[in-house]
Structure formats: C-alpha cells, structure tokens
Amino acid sequence: MESDPHVLAVDLGTSGPKVALVSSEGAVVGGEFEPIELILLPGGGAEQDPEQWWRAIVTASRRAIANAGVPPGSITAVSVTAQWSGTVAIDATGRHIGNAIIWMDSRGQPFVADLVGGPVRVRGYDPRKLRTWIRLTGGAPSGSGKDPIAHILYLRHQHPDVYQQAAVFLEPKDYLNLRLTGETVASFDSIALHWLTDNRDPNAVDYHEDLLELAAIERDRLPRLTPATEIIGTVTAQAASELGLERDVVVIGGTPDVHSAAIGAGTTADLAAHLYIGTSSWITCHVPFKKTDLIHNIATLPAPVPGRYLIANEQETAGKALEWAARLLFPPPIDAEVYAEMERMASRVAPGAGGVIFTPWLYGERTPVEDATLRGGFFNQSLETGRAELIRAVFEGVALNARWLLQHVEKLAGTRLDPIAAVGGGARSQLWAQIHADILGRTIRLAEDPVMANVRGAGLLAHAAIGTVAWNDIPHLVPVSSIHVPDPANTQRYERTYDAFRRIHRATRRITRDLNRP
C-alpha cells in the first residue's frame, strides 16, 4: 500500500463531506465524515456556509490521512466531487460572498419563468427559446428555479449588492477547487446546468454567445472551462498545510456527485445503469448520444468519461424522506440504531405496507415531473395502521417514485436497464435493495461500501486522469456485496400499489399547487 499512488478524494454532500484515500485498485481507505449545517429559509431557500464546507473538509482530511496509514508522499492528486446545481458568488479577491445557494433552493423560480417565457408559451417555454436551448445544450432551464442560472437571476433581482460584488459564480465543486488551487475553473459537466454552453461535442464544451445573450449573463462572470480529467493546478501552500499534503500534489478538475456516483458504482460502460439512494435519488447511465425528454425533465449532458454523455435526472427526496420519518416517529437522538430499528420494523410488515402508500415529494419534485409545489404524505391509513406500516410505506414510496422515473429513463436510453447497480447511503439497507428490486422488477446489485461510491468515483476519475487506471478497468475495481433478484409474487402485488401511487399524484397535484403557490 505504501508504494501505491493514492488520491485524496473529497465528496461534499448536503449533510457534509466524506474524505478518503483511494488507491489505484479502487480501495477506499481512511474514510471520514464531518457534518455541516443545512439552512432552510422561507420561500424555498436552501443555503450552506462555504467556509463551513472548507473547515469540515480540512478536519475530515487530516483524520482520513492519519487513519489510512498512507505516507503523505504517496498522495499524488486531489479530486473533488460535490452536490450539483449550487451557486457560490466569489468576489474579486477570490473569497465567497455570503452563503452558497444549493440545489434545493427554488427562490429563483419566478425569474427563470420570465427568462424562458415569451408571448407564446408551451409548458411555460417560448418555443423559439426552447429550440435554441435544446439544440445547443440538450435541455433547458428548469421551471423549478433550482438550477444555477435561476440562482444567479435570483441574486441579480433580489440581492443586487451581492450580484454587483461577484466577480464569478461557481458550482460547489469548483469553489472547492478554487480553495485548493487559486484557479477559477469549471468542468464541462459541472457547468451544464447553467444552460449556457454548447454541448454538441462532449469533448469541446464552451459558452455560446446566443445563450449568454438570452440569459443576459456576462461572460466574465463565469469560469473558464476544462474537461473533468484535466489537471487544473497544484495545491497552494496554504491548502497543503491545512489538509496535511505535500506541496506538489496535483488537483484534477473533478465532477459533480451524479457523475462520480456512476464511476464509483463501476458503471462507466455505455448503458450500464446505477441507482443512487442518498438524500436525493436518481437512475442513470452513460450513453454515446445527446438526447432530451423535456416533458419529464431528463436530458443527456456531458460526462467526465471522455466522449460520453450521462442521462441527467434527480428525485428530490429519498434518504431525506426516511430521515424525516425518523424525526417524526422516534425521540431524539436519531442515530444509526434508530435506522436499524426502522429497518427491523419494516421488514416485519408484508409488502404493501398494510395498504398505506407514501408519496415522497416533501420538497417538491424535479423528475419525472417538475413541480416545486408538489408535496407528499401518507395515504390510506386506518385505525390499524402503526409505526411499522408507516415506515414500510416510506421505504416503498421512494422505490415507487424510482419506478416512475425508470420507465422514462429507459425510454430515453432506448433499452431495458437490467441489472442496476445501487450505491449511496440508502444502499446499505438490504431491505430497501429488495424493495427496489421487487418494485422496479429489476435485479439490484449492491456495490461494496456503497456510502463511499462518490468518494471512490472521484478517486478513480483522478487515477484515470493521471494514467494509473484505464477507464475500461474501472468496472472490475468495484466489488458487488449482494445481488437482489425480484420476487415475482411481490412484483405483481406492487402493480396495484404503483397504479394507486400514480393516481394519487394526478388527484393531488392541483391541490398542492394551490396550497403552496408563492
């Protein structure tokens, strides 16, 4: 191990950063986590403190290096992955201005609605503008107001002082690279949700003048662009000292969390699918083509794998729904034992949760429907309903939502996706894996140490970039811990539940829109 080159991999999630060392064999050693605060504000605001990000990474990095038993001289690179679709305003001195606006924030919704609209609107979009966005980018700004372009518009209209001070706007991953190297750089994949780049060649992504003019965003307020595999610099003396690294360690461009999970799941080949179950959830795979399903808010966007696109989608609440249920049903503290008890209780309830159905739209939804006003809840409770049925319903509701998404992902991919690798914190649950297998009707392969998938992906991306790992080798470097095959009887039973789940959405969407309209 001492002679093997290692990458210091950082995964900045919504709940905090995970940091570990990743070897060229894909081994994740010394993994550490440090929690951070999520700030929820009235009107759909969601923010975090970038300085707290950095302090947490420094703390976790020093512990990870100490615990790994790897000499600092064997750490050759740093690679960052992070929550996607966030915005950090940076001043002319390179410091952040106030809090970061993160992926959950929808306060830009009215301003992006004005941007995409026009005299004639189809699903809220001016058809002429929509053609331009889809032709060049593969997608269009989300009506939910949760894309970085909406964040920037929100700052311009509601906080003009911050907007005027800002020299550049960065994604969370790219902000951390700024702290590491002093360079203001974004990767082809991280910039995509700004909807300002020509993505028709995934190897040569660049800003397009028509898109900049459409959004009235100044080019000099945006970072230069590089492939995710590019070495963007070496760690600064200050960053090296804080993190416990030597001064000549290089920093790779890196990639957002959706993309790193695909690498960390070992699904780098075309049409090799993975399911991520974390705070949010998604189902995706790499494809060699650019394609868009605007109705269901799904598009293929540039991937870190050279020459490839990744099917981009996201369901807002997955593991977060289980956390919400834990706080609702159990006294504090909510710890690992509480989640273990929840799984034990749910496992004693037959599939179908006693007729209770849970819809997990606790913070709106992005895909396969885009609706920031959508809300979830429990349906069909009776006097016989207890905690165990409610908990089982939460596990099942997240999987039912994933089934809804899967049908549209498969249509866009043009093929049935089976098997599906599962990663993320929720993939530690054997019960949840089997529930997904039964509801999706697909074989679920749990990756080993699934909670470290993003860290592993960031590390393997860096190894591929510096040549210590070949892209074709990556699928063989991710062990499978268990395989869950659908139970035909359960799959058939869930057909009725899924039909009811979809009908609940149709019946309640207008009600929640009226209740939650700004």
Side-chain angles (χ1 to χ4, degrees):
M1 181 176 289
E2 291 187 1
S3 62
D4 189 21
H6 285 76
V7 172
L8 181 70
V10 176
D11 168 28
L12 175 65
T14 309
S15 56
K18 300 180 188 73
V19 181
L21 299 178
V22 181
S23 77
S24 60
E25 297 296 320
V28 179
V29 293
E32 289 290 332
F33 170 77
E34 189 70 15
I36 55 178
E37 180 185 7
L38 172 62
I39 305 165
L40 298 178
L41 301 168
E47 298 181 354
Q48 289 183 320
D49 178 3
E51 190 61 36
Q52 190 181 47
W53 288 347
W54 182 253
R55 291 197 306 269
I57 288 168
V58 167
T59 299
S61 173
R62 286 193 161 274
R63 288 206 311 263
I65 293 172
N67 292 342
V70 172
S74 76
I75 302 173
T76 57
V78 179
S79 182
V80 175
T81 184
Q83 48 179 283
W84 198 16
S85 194
T87 301
V88 188
I90 305 297
D91 68 18
T93 70
R95 292 191 56 80
H96 62 273
I97 307 168
N99 286 334
I101 300 174
I102 71 165
W103 60 274
M104 299 170 68
D105 194 298
S106 61
R107 291 175 294 180
Q109 192 277 332
F111 310 111
V112 83
D114 290 342
L115 169 65
V116 304
V120 177
R121 299 190 182 206
V122 178
R123 293 183 176 271
Y125 292 88
D126 181 321
R128 296 168 301 173
K129 295 178 182 179
L130 188 58
R131 281 195 299 270
T132 300
W133 268 309
I134 291 179
R135 178 174 62 87
L136 296 173
T137 71
S142 164
S144 67
K146 296 181 179 182
D147 294 342
I149 191 169
H151 301 162
I152 294 171
L153 293 174
Y154 165 75
L155 291 174
R156 186 163 72 192
H157 286 87
Q158 298 296 108
H159 299 278
D161 55 330
V162 173
Y163 186 87
Q164 291 304 320
Q165 289 180 61
V168 66
F169 297 100
L170 296 177
E171 275 273 349
K173 182 265 294 181
D174 301 317
Y175 166 76
L176 296 177
N177 280 345
L178 171 64
R179 294 293 296 257
L180 288 164
T181 66
E183 300 288 334
T184 52
V185 182
S187 52
F188 294 167
D189 45 7
S190 70
I191 202 67
L193 295 184
H194 287 66
W195 307 110
L196 298 173
T197 51
D198 184 342
N199 300 331
R200 289 175 292 181
D201 180 351
N203 293 320
V205 174
D206 202 358
Y207 299 109
H208 195 282
E209 288 301 323
D210 290 352
L211 299 174
L212 293 169
E213 183 178 352
L214 193 57
I217 301 293
E218 304 93 331
R219 169 67 184 83
D220 60 5
R221 290 184 190 268
L222 300 166
R224 71 177 177 90
L225 301 178
T226 71
T229 52
E230 182 167 309
I231 295 173
I232 63 172
T234 57
V235 291
T236 66
Q238 180 175 346
S241 175
E242 290 187 67
L243 295 168
L245 300 173
E246 296 192 351
R247 182 65 180 82
D248 59 348
V249 174
V250 301
V251 178
I252 309 300
T255 195
D257 55 1
V258 175
H259 308 66
S260 63
I263 300 171
T267 51
T268 51
D270 288 350
L271 301 173
H274 86 269
L275 161 71
Y276 183 89
I277 313 171
T279 299
S280 60
S281 182
W282 57 77
I283 299 172
T284 187
C285 62
H286 291 95
V287 293
F289 52 79
K290 175 176 168 288
K291 191 175 180 181
T292 303
D293 176 357
L294 188 68
I295 292 174
H296 300 102
N297 205 27
I298 304 172
T300 64
L301 298 176
V305 179
R308 289 296 179 266
Y309 294 91
L310 193 70
I311 296 178
N313 58 76
E314 183 182 50
Q315 298 185 150
E316 291 286 76
T317 47
K320 195 69 176 177
L322 200 63
E323 178 189 323
W324 169 82
R327 294 199 313 268
L328 194 69
L329 299 173
F330 291 86
I334 304 302
D335 54 18
E337 180 51 38
V338 168
Y339 290 111
E341 175 61 16
M342 292 175 77
E343 182 161 354
R344 286 191 291 269
M345 292 174 69
S347 68
R348 293 193 290 266
V349 177
V356 179
I357 295 176
F358 173 73
T359 57
W361 314 308
L362 300 176
Y363 208 75
E365 190 55 284
R366 285 202 184 195
T367 52
V369 293
E370 181 186 28
D371 188 348
T373 64
L374 196 61
R375 292 295 180 269
F378 293 100
F379 294 83
N380 201 40
Q381 304 98 299
S382 71
L383 290 175
E384 287 75 35
T385 300
R387 283 195 305 169
E389 286 78 16
L390 295 177
I391 293 166
R392 174 89 191 195
V394 172
F395 280 106
E396 292 180 348
V398 171
L400 290 165
N401 214 38
R403 173 173 170 176
W404 189 10
L405 175 61
L406 177 64
Q407 69 185 68
H408 298 295
V409 172
E410 289 186 333
K411 185 175 181 180
L412 187 140
T415 189
R416 176 185 172 94
L417 301 176
D418 195 7
I420 299 174
V423 294
R428 290 176 293 186
S429 168
Q430 299 286 321
L431 174 66
W432 218 351
Q434 188 60 51
I435 288 173
H436 274 89
D438 292 341
I439 289 178
L440 300 182
R442 303 292 186 272
T443 296
I444 301 296
R445 298 163 62 93
L446 290 190
E448 189 174 282
D449 200 6
V451 76
M452 286 302 207
N454 292 75
V455 169
R456 180 188 289 114
L460 289 173
L461 169 65
H463 279 295
I466 62 180
T468 47
V469 167
W471 282 107
N472 290 340
D473 292 336
I474 289 176
H476 309 293
L477 298 177
V478 182
V480 174
S481 64
S482 62
I483 297 175
H484 298 262
V485 178
D487 180 317
N490 289 343
T491 299
Q492 184 175 5
R493 182 177 303 177
Y494 281 127
E495 286 295 325
R496 182 181 180 188
T497 308
Y498 177 66
D499 178 66
F501 180 88
R502 294 293 308 278
R503 285 190 286 125
I504 288 169
H505 170 255
R506 290 191 291 270
T508 62
R509 60 188 175 182
R510 290 182 179 86
I511 296 171
T512 57
R513 190 170 300 160
D514 289 343
L515 289 172
N516 299 304
R517 184 183 292 119

